[in-house]
Amino acid sequence: MIRTAEGRNLLRLCINLHRKCNQLVAHEGRIAQSISHRPHINACIRYSQSGFRQFSTTVTKITMPSLSPTMTQGSISSWKKSPGDELKPGDILCDIETDKASVGFEMQDEGVLAKILVEASGNELACGEPIALIVDDKEAYATFLTMDPSSYSTSPSPSVVAPPTSASESTIPQNSKSKHARFSPAAKHMIQSAGLSVSDASSKIVGTAKHGLISKSDVVLARSSGSLKQAATSAPSAAPTVVAVLAAVSTPSSPAPSLSPTPAGPVNERFTDIPNSNMRKIIAKRLAESKATVPHLYLTMECEIDSLLLFRQQLKKQLDVAVSVNDLVIKSAALALRDVPRANARWNAAAGSVQSGEGKVDISVAVATPNGLITPIVTAADRRGVASIGQAVKDLAGRAREGKLKPEEFQGGSFSVSNLGMFGIAAFSAVINPPQACILAVGAGLTKVLPPLQEGQGPPRVATTVTVQLSADRRVVDEATAAEFLQVYPCAQ
């Protein structure tokens, strides 16, 4: 017997809930009975259920893959298969142009290509966007062709970036504006030089500097977002200067003949606009980010390579082993990194710390391709022989120009070497390839007249020298470490 009021309330609630459940079951029974007397409704339900079940089990959506850790978008350069073609594991479905190279998209499962959703137009797609549909077999493909296209259409979002709208103004911090906006001298000069009104611009620009000061970067951001576009068109024209008035008075009524010759046609007709490849776009973006965010440290040294050239000749004469100067440069850099492991490190941007190379010396070699620059990796270069390095570089460079490198063959690396000596470049400054901390720029070998090894002893001598410049990330490699690397580098040769 329930004695407490809380117990009686709980019992009453359970009884009501049980009564409601019985009513719901009875109601569903009446609905099922009414539907059973309508054969056309039952047929529609069975057809829709079978069609949905068949589609969900046979059609698979293929999306744009992420073929590298830094890849956020890619473009399809060509399709290797057509709708209706059978697919097997290892077959190349299409060629995808990534931020590093053109890579074939290999299939992992069997199936039949049912539909291509994105043509090979070169337009960029974000990773994860659908590009194709596949089915299990030929029978499923025949069924797929009879299905309603609206039931499986998964068109990807357009890859074209929409023009900036009012939403783009949200990139400007929406803090409160002061009644009397203050401008830096550079910002005021930029506004006045563009023919804009300072008072009108003060209501459209939000200052992000200290105490709400409007800086030059605020003006640039506001103009790029379009918030000052209306002010530029509606601003009153500046008053004519004295020089302009005198020039107008002294100018005769008839127009003066133009001193510059008139071109035969529009200037643009003399040039052809070539659309930039996705790889070159990414290269430009990465290099700009590197120069803007990585504190570059440059050190230059001149190395005598006569003994290196003699060693190369001896390998060819005695062992019939042909190696290039670039192979010896890579080997020397690898040995120097082995002796100075502090230079064999990288910057971990996520953790804000230095990440050591853990004893692995993998050299990235810059190779020029028709689509842009790529850096295939010679792994374990410190433990390889010079001949092995030469064979690896020849194989990697050849496949890089053909766009057949695998992602693991150009991702990573602990140090980069860029050699322009074969083009006759005496010296140059290379841009660091993040997250790597160093890149060595190697120039051409030049014959120079040098003083004797010991001052005052013997005549001047003639030697072949190469100028090398090390670009280092100052957050990882300081001046002393960079100098130590360059001191060890010629000795390694």
Side-chain angles (χ1 to χ4, degrees):
M1 187 175 190
I2 300 177
R3 299 180 181 275
T4 62
E6 291 82 3
R8 287 193 295 272
N9 292 335
L10 181 59
L11 178 61
R12 190 178 300 109
L13 179 62
C14 292
I15 294 174
N16 293 335
L17 182 61
H18 180 68
R19 187 181 298 113
K20 293 292 184 182
C21 290
N22 291 334
Q23 294 175 359
L24 182 60
V25 170
H27 182 65
E28 289 180 351
R30 288 192 298 272
I31 293 177
Q33 185 177 5
S34 62
I35 291 178
S36 63
H37 294 292
R38 297 189 176 107
H40 59 281
I41 297 180
N42 288 331
C44 292
I45 293 176
R46 286 194 300 271
Y47 177 78
S48 62
Q49 290 177 347
S50 62
F52 177 79
R53 183 164 54 250
Q54 182 183 31
F55 170 73
S56 62
T57 57
T58 58
V59 178
T60 304
K61 180 172 61 175
I62 303 298
T63 60
M64 174 66 70
S66 178
L67 301 176
S68 67
T70 59
M71 178 180 173
T72 58
Q73 57 187 6
S75 60
I76 300 175
S77 56
S78 63
W79 284 96
K80 302 301 183 182
K81 299 292 184 179
S82 302
D85 292 348
E86 295 184 354
L87 303 174
K88 298 179 180 179
D91 289 350
I92 302 298
L93 178 63
C94 61
D95 287 335
I96 297 178
E97 188 176 344
T98 69
D99 55 346
K100 298 289 186 180
S102 181
V103 182
F105 184 14
E106 293 187 4
M107 294 298 301
Q108 305 297 327
D109 301 314
E110 295 182 351
V112 176
L113 179 60
K115 185 177 182 180
I116 294 176
L117 300 179
V118 179
E119 297 297 333
S121 58
N123 294 331
E124 297 178 358
L125 292 174
C127 294
E129 292 284 351
I131 60 175
L133 299 176
I134 65 173
V135 293
D136 293 337
D137 48 30
K138 285 288 188 180
E139 183 180 354
Y141 176 66
T143 306
F144 176 85
L145 295 178
T146 62
M147 297 174 62
D148 184 10
S150 61
S151 63
Y152 59 79
S153 177
T154 54
S155 301
S157 59
S159 58
V160 180
V161 179
T165 59
S166 59
S168 63
E169 297 178 2
S170 60
T171 56
I172 302 178
Q174 299 297 325
N175 56 346
S176 59
K177 301 184 179 69
S178 59
K179 296 182 179 180
H180 304 285
R182 297 186 301 114
F183 293 82
S184 67
K188 184 178 294 185
H189 177 72
M190 176 178 288
I191 293 175
Q192 294 176 345
S193 299
L196 304 175
S197 172
V198 176
S199 59
D200 186 35
S202 62
S203 61
K204 300 180 182 299
I205 305 176
V206 178
T208 59
K210 189 175 182 180
H211 303 301
L213 179 69
I214 298 177
S215 62
K216 181 180 177 181
S217 60
D218 297 330
V219 179
V220 174
L221 182 61
R223 295 189 64 182
S224 61
S225 64
S227 59
L228 283 182
K229 186 178 297 183
Q230 184 65 28
T233 57
S234 62
S237 58
T241 61
V242 177
V243 177
V245 174
L246 294 178
V249 174
S250 60
T251 301
S253 58
S254 59
S258 176
L259 298 179
S260 60
T262 304
V267 178
N268 292 339
E269 293 183 358
R270 302 182 182 181
F271 303 92
T272 302
D273 290 335
I274 302 176
N276 218 356
S277 64
N278 185 43
M279 182 175 174
R280 290 189 180 274
K281 291 179 182 178
I282 298 298
I283 290 174
K285 179 181 178 181
R286 296 282 168 76
L287 292 182
E289 290 178 353
S290 177
K291 291 293 290 184
T293 60
V294 177
H296 282 56
L297 168 67
Y298 302 102
L299 280 81
T300 305
M301 176 175 282
E302 207 170 54
C303 306
E304 296 187 23
I305 61 170
D306 290 310
S307 59
L308 193 70
L309 298 177
L310 180 61
F311 174 69
R312 179 170 172 255
Q313 294 175 0
Q314 291 175 350
L315 286 178
K316 179 63 177 176
K317 184 177 180 181
Q318 299 177 6
L319 303 176
D320 195 23
V321 176
V323 296
S324 65
V325 175
N326 191 56
D327 302 333
L328 297 172
V329 166
I330 296 172
K331 180 63 176 180
S332 301
L335 294 178
L337 289 173
R338 182 195 63 184
D339 296 339
V340 187
R342 288 174 296 174
N344 188 33
R346 59 173 57 197
W347 177 254
N348 189 341
S353 60
V354 178
Q355 183 178 356
S356 63
E358 299 179 353
K360 298 179 181 180
V361 180
D362 300 331
I363 304 295
S364 301
V365 183
V367 176
T369 68
N371 293 327
L373 195 69
I374 191 171
T375 53
I377 302 171
V378 179
T379 58
D382 58 327
R383 298 193 296 269
R384 288 176 180 259
V386 181
S388 175
I389 291 177
Q391 294 174 359
V393 171
K394 185 176 180 180
D395 173 63
L396 291 170
R399 290 191 290 116
R401 295 185 180 96
E402 297 174 358
K404 296 182 179 180
L405 285 179
K406 299 178 181 178
E408 62 269 17
E409 292 177 328
F410 56 82
Q411 295 175 11
S414 55
F415 189 92
S416 293
V417 172
S418 180
N419 188 357
L420 295 180
M422 65 285 294
F423 299 105
I425 304 300
F428 66 102
S429 301
V431 182
I432 298 173
N433 183 23
Q436 295 181 6
C438 295
I439 182 171
L440 188 68
V442 183
L446 303 177
T447 302
K448 294 184 179 181
V449 178
L450 301 177
L453 295 177
Q454 295 183 3
E455 186 177 357
Q457 297 183 8
R461 56 194 178 89
V462 178
T464 305
T465 63
V466 166
T467 301
V468 296
Q469 185 179 77
L470 180 68
S471 303
D473 187 343
R474 183 56 181 79
R475 298 170 299 183
V476 181
V477 178
D478 57 13
E479 291 81 358
T481 304
E484 183 181 357
F485 172 84
L486 288 180
Q487 288 177 349
V488 173
Y489 179 76
C491 297
Q493 297 177 351

